[in-house]
Amino acid sequence: MKYKNPSLSVQERVNDLLPRMTLEEKIAQCIQIYIPPDHPGEIVDRIQAVGLGSRILGAVSLAGNVSQRTAGIEDLNEIQRIAMNEFRLGIPVIHGLDVIHGLRVIFPIPLGLAATFDPDAIQKTYNIAAEECFRLGIHWSFAPMLDIAHDPRWGRIVEGFGEDPYLGAKMAVAAIKGFQGELDENGYQSQDHILACAKHYIGYGSAEGGRDYNTAEITDHTLRNIYLPPFRAAVQAGVGSVMSAFEDLNGEPASGSRYLLTDLLKEELGFNGFVISDWASVAELIHHRVAANEREAAQIAFDAGVDMEMVTECYAHHLADLVMEGIISMERLDDAVRRILTQKFQLGLFDHPYADVQKSLEIRDLSAYHIAAREVTARSMVLLKNNGILPLPGDVRRIALIGPFVNQRRALLGTWVNDVLADEPQTLEEALRASCPDVEILTAPNGLMDEMIMIAAEADIVLLALGESNARNGEYNSIASLNLPAGQEELAQAVAGMGKPLAVLVFAGRPVTLTRILPHADALLYAWHPGSMGAAAAVDILLGKVNPAGKLPVTFPRGEGQIPVHYNHKSTGRDHPRYLDMPVEPLFPFGFGLSYTRFEITDLVVEPVEIPAGASVNVSVTVTNTGECKGEEVVQCYLQDCVSRRTRPERELKGFQRIALQPGESRRVEFTLGPDEMSYYGAGGSWVLEPGAFKVWIGNDCKASLEGSFLLK
Ligand code: GLC
């Protein structure tokens, strides 16, 4: 059979295989199921008879916070052997798992990765995760999550890249390239790469009240200009799969919307991969009450454009009848199967279907991955305050290390971790002692707050490690109050009362309310949930081995009352809306982060200052390190379309560069702004470029004040 010939192109092989398939065999490719490790039961009979599209390796939907055994290589290879040798057509099964920020070596949560403002570092991070997956027989990760989030109460803000469409789009491309690599001249992916999945399409992060799974209402204008850009970039980057979301958006469940999945994603954006539903989101059309039963759910979802059903069996039970009755066309079924087979051929699954046990042993030595993780983790951490007590002085003799995060391991990893595979992280205390063997580290081993206060009085400096559990983040874990967990603010206040220099570290999966912590802290380092090397990376920063340069990918509100609060708000007809009882400004703005050195950004030049439609302008500045130590700055470029036929944000991020400068060093940094940066989705969803004046600002957070302008004629 031609399709067995690896020298043929992907499409030649798909075109040869598809017509050989029966109706049942085609439908089998549109199904993803969970097969319990070691006891596949009747699944084996099904695979022998008609094959199987995909096997999900997580046993429960909330895999991110549940310890579970993931199938081992022998198990994966056995099911694959059955599919390749006992099913007549020998179509391989694609194994999928949520590898969201690392598999064995865990990297910072995606919100922390976004804080690096460093796409190259992110691409390397996801490439390491891809290598780990590939070696363990995992072909597909349900990541990156590209949901724009304006509400830190939403538990899954942890899993995305924050509030900004431009940053989200850059991170999307980096993650997808890291996972998928580049196709070779014959259209095949190289080894050590896996299939990525842009999720959750779309609007999932705007759940009402920040309550996960909740209803979302987003105008098409806002959907296209704020929520769509990361997915548009993912499609342009060649992402091979997209996951449809749980929520109902504008009156339609996202997993049942033909407008979203076919008209917008497949036809307008040209997505040629396949759409997989979220966990049971096809059957959940019944809970949404848009389908009366599984048969209707299958019809609505498949017709909308969901090509593969995750774990429920609406397609398995009803798709054949729907096709035979002509309700679902064979053309639509062939389109879904073609999309799925294309990815399987592209991944090389037909030619290399089995995980190499020997290769899997190679990743027992995680040292190279640990080095990479330590570096990118330090790049993710954000210095929010420092009156000079950091980095710790070289002559410090006694450090009090106190707080609930001094001896945490699992919580450092954050949510969405396949526990049984992740290697155990160092604690903050272990990391500090390892890096400061000659310093006396005082701790309160009984975890009693009165002990903590007593040792604070004896120390030269106090390190207070606060934060929230990983179990308070992630799927289905939304919170109503953004305060740190009970007692932590009181502890900070009591410790501060001892009058010693106080550096606070916060380990969290979202912006927490720092309003009552900040006044007591002489310094505050936001470490996110930093992963396997988080403790070591935090100590590297505390000791000045790494000069922090992370920037906030999401606005930090003063309190829940300000939500939703994000930098790219629109101009309003009157003076900015206000509160009578709280400043309208957030506690920390998007793009903010300090360094141990200082940078000046001067001499903004825009050229040319007048351009015809379709042309670009160059905007440049001089960045100078005016401090005493080397450091990195994230130079950010914001744009305003001064007059437009649809209301637009007052400013939007349209460029950023993270640069390293020695003390005293200056460098010109240049941004090119072209039609893509100046255009937006206007009336009727059309992508428009309107003539007129534009303003541009360049700085080191979204409050950038160094201004220029140009005219698009
Ligand atoms: C979950 C999540 C999704 C994940 C899928 C498989 O419910 O919503 O992000 O990829 O199910 O675990």
Side-chain angles (χ1 to χ4, degrees):
M1 292 185 264
K2 273 176 65 179
Y3 71 91
K4 299 278 189 185
N5 179 351
S7 66
L8 296 178
S9 74
V10 168
Q11 282 319 312
E12 284 176 310
R13 299 174 82 179
V14 172
N15 292 338
D16 178 65
L17 172 54
L18 188 58
R20 300 171 187 269
M21 300 172 72
T22 66
L23 173 61
E24 287 69 20
E25 290 165 344
K26 290 177 181 178
I27 291 169
Q29 290 303 307
C30 301
I31 292 166
Q32 178 187 72
I33 52 175
Y34 172 69
I35 304 175
D38 306 333
H39 46 279
E42 79 289 346
I43 302 290
V44 168
D45 303 340
R46 262 170 76 171
I47 297 173
Q48 286 164 334
V50 292
L52 175 67
S54 174
R55 174 185 188 182
I56 183 169
L57 304 180
V60 291
S61 165
L62 299 178
N65 279 323
V66 173
S67 289
Q68 56 173 344
R69 200 175 87 71
T70 296
I73 280 186
E74 294 72 15
D75 181 314
L76 297 178
N77 282 345
E78 175 53 18
I79 292 289
Q80 199 70 296
R81 187 195 59 75
I82 294 167
M84 297 300 288
N85 298 293
E86 295 180 19
F87 167 44
R88 73 180 186 93
L89 291 174
I91 299 175
V93 174
I94 182 170
H95 302 146
L97 182 66
D98 292 286
V99 180
I100 308 298
H101 51 114
L103 183 65
R104 312 264 322 269
V105 174
I106 305 301
F107 290 86
I109 53 173
L111 197 57
L113 290 174
T116 65
F117 277 72
D118 185 349
D120 290 343
I122 302 320
Q123 184 169 335
K124 289 187 188 106
T125 295
Y126 283 83
N127 189 250
I128 288 172
E131 278 182 13
E132 291 185 306
C133 289
F134 188 87
R135 304 291 172 88
L136 292 178
I138 298 162
H139 310 123
W140 179 21
S141 171
F142 307 122
M145 189 239 216
L146 305 180
D147 300 305
I148 294 293
H150 292 160
D151 191 334
R153 295 172 298 178
W154 185 50
R156 299 194 79 167
I157 192 171
V158 62
E159 195 178 338
F161 296 123
E163 74 187 42
D164 182 69
Y166 182 86
L167 177 62
K170 294 297 181 187
M171 291 294 153
V173 172
I176 288 158
K177 286 185 173 177
F179 269 152
Q180 298 188 169
E182 301 294 340
L183 299 182
D184 67 19
E185 62 280 1
N186 299 315
Y188 292 93
Q189 257 172 257
S190 57
Q191 304 273 309
D192 278 345
H193 287 94
I194 63 171
L195 178 63
C197 182
K199 72 181 186 183
H200 306 79
Y201 184 79
I202 186 171
Y204 182 33
S206 64
E208 273 181 13
R211 295 186 296 275
D212 197 18
Y213 308 141
N214 208 6
T215 297
E217 294 285 350
I218 308 173
T219 63
D220 197 61
H221 174 77
T222 299
L223 186 75
R224 287 169 172 270
N225 286 295
I226 299 296
Y227 293 84
L228 191 65
F231 287 98
R232 181 165 173 256
V235 170
Q236 290 169 348
V239 69
S241 68
V242 167
M243 182 183 292
S244 63
F246 284 127
E247 97 282 352
D248 76 296
L249 176 62
N250 303 336
E252 283 190 300
S255 294
S257 168
R258 183 177 177 79
Y259 166 64
L260 294 175
L261 295 170
T262 297
D263 302 348
L264 182 52
L265 177 66
K266 292 180 177 177
E267 290 177 3
E268 187 175 330
L269 295 188
F271 173 60
N272 57 20
F274 68 90
V275 173
I276 182 165
S277 76
D278 200 338
W279 187 287
S281 67
V282 170
E284 286 171 7
L285 297 181
I286 300 168
H287 302 279
H288 281 294
R289 297 190 293 113
V290 299
N293 50 49
E294 277 197 352
R295 175 184 159 95
E296 285 186 10
Q299 177 191 338
I300 293 167
F302 199 77
D303 181 58
V306 177
D307 301 306
M308 185 183 279
E309 180 181 6
M310 182 184 282
V311 296
T312 43
E313 300 259 46
C314 302
Y315 288 7
H317 297 157
H318 300 284
L319 214 41
D321 290 345
L322 289 165
V323 172
M324 285 188 287
E325 293 166 28
I327 297 170
I328 293 285
S329 70
M330 182 60 82
E331 184 191 4
R332 166 67 189 110
L333 178 58
D334 284 349
D335 168 59
V337 178
R338 173 179 296 282
R339 289 169 179 268
I340 293 163
L341 292 178
T342 298
Q343 296 303 322
K344 289 188 173 182
F345 276 114
Q346 218 166 260
L347 269 172
L349 289 189
F350 281 82
D351 311 313
H352 317 286
Y354 304 107
D356 180 331
V357 176
Q358 188 49 45
K359 267 184 177 278
S360 74
L361 299 177
E362 285 169 15
I363 62 167
R364 280 202 180 133
D365 173 12
L366 300 171
S367 52
Y369 294 165
H370 281 142
I371 293 166
R374 184 168 183 161
E375 189 183 321
V376 74
T377 303
R379 296 171 78 78
S380 74
M381 295 183 180
V382 185
L383 185 63
L384 292 176
K385 182 178 181 182
N386 184 27
N387 67 6
I389 70 164
L390 291 181
L392 297 174
D395 59 356
V396 69
R397 301 300 346 128
R398 308 184 90 198
I399 296 175
L401 179 63
I402 58 177
F405 262 79
V406 166
N407 290 306
Q408 292 300 327
R409 296 185 193 279
R410 175 63 188 82
L412 291 176
L413 298 181
T415 187
W416 275 125
V417 168
N418 294 283
D419 299 3
V420 292
L421 292 169
D423 64 319
E424 185 165 85
Q426 207 177 25
T427 68
L428 189 59
E429 179 179 355
E430 289 164 349
L432 188 63
R433 292 190 185 282
S435 293
C436 306
D438 303 327
V439 177
E440 188 180 359
I441 310 290
L442 307 176
T443 60
N446 301 322
L448 293 170
M449 285 170 73
D450 49 5
E451 282 180 4
M452 294 179 194
I453 293 162
M454 283 187 273
I455 61 171
E458 297 164 31
D460 302 329
I461 190 166
V462 181
L463 300 181
L464 177 60
L466 305 176
E468 61 176 356
S469 160
N470 56 289
R472 199 172 87 149
N473 296 135
E475 185 170 347
Y476 205 32
N477 293 336
S478 298
I479 56 175
S481 161
L482 290 176
N483 299 338
L484 279 166
Q488 295 191 22
E489 291 178 0
E490 292 78 4
L491 174 60
Q493 184 173 2
V495 169
M498 304 315 288
K500 296 299 178 71
L502 172 61
V504 176
L505 291 88
V506 178
F507 296 88
R510 57 159 54 87
V512 296
T513 311
L514 299 170
T515 316
R516 285 170 297 283
I517 296 276
L518 208 55
H520 304 304
D522 296 302
L524 194 149
L525 179 68
Y526 216 77
W528 310 104
H529 282 145
S532 303
M533 300 305 289
V539 170
D540 286 345
I541 289 176
L542 292 172
L543 299 180
K545 292 178 183 173
V546 172
N547 184 352
K551 301 285 183 179
L552 295 180
V554 65
T555 300
F556 274 49
R558 293 174 190 276
E560 305 79 15
Q562 288 188 320
I563 294 168
V565 58
H566 46 90
Y567 87 91
N568 50 356
H569 56 73
K570 298 197 176 172
S571 304
T572 48
R574 296 187 172 191
D575 284 349
H576 269 311
R578 65 172 184 171
Y579 297 112
L580 293 175
D581 60 346
M582 183 183 282
V584 75
E585 287 301 311
L587 191 63
F588 292 107
F590 173 87
F592 177 81
L594 299 174
S595 169
Y596 289 152
T597 186
R598 291 177 309 284
F599 295 95
E600 262 186 13
I601 300 175
T602 57
D603 304 322
L604 186 145
V605 173
V606 181
E607 52 191 6
V609 290
E610 277 197 19
I611 52 169
S616 300
V617 293
N618 286 320
V619 188
S620 59
V621 292
T622 298
V623 184
T624 304
N625 179 345
T626 56
E628 291 74 42
C629 64
K630 68 180 181 179
E632 296 190 12
E633 181 57 290
V634 177
V635 186
Q636 301 157 47
C637 178
Y638 294 87
L639 184 65
Q640 181 189 83
D641 182 347
C642 300
V643 178
S644 52
R645 285 292 163 268
R646 285 292 183 274
T647 56
R648 314 281 329 287
E650 273 194 358
R651 55 176 69 190
E652 298 177 279
L653 181 71
K654 292 294 182 183
F656 61 83
Q657 293 181 38
R658 178 166 172 155
I659 64 167
L661 293 174
Q662 294 296 331
E665 183 185 1
S666 291
R667 188 178 308 161
R668 284 298 283 178
V669 175
E670 191 173 296
F671 297 95
T672 300
L673 301 175
D676 235 15
E677 284 74 32
M678 298 176 215
S679 301
Y680 71 102
Y681 282 105
S686 56
W687 183 245
V688 297
L689 176 63
E690 292 174 343
F694 285 80
K695 281 183 186 171
V696 56
W697 297 273
I698 293 187
N700 57 9
D701 67 36
C702 66
K703 304 303 225 184
S705 55
L706 190 58
E707 179 176 321
S709 61
F710 62 90
L711 181 67
L712 175 65
K713 287 192 294 187

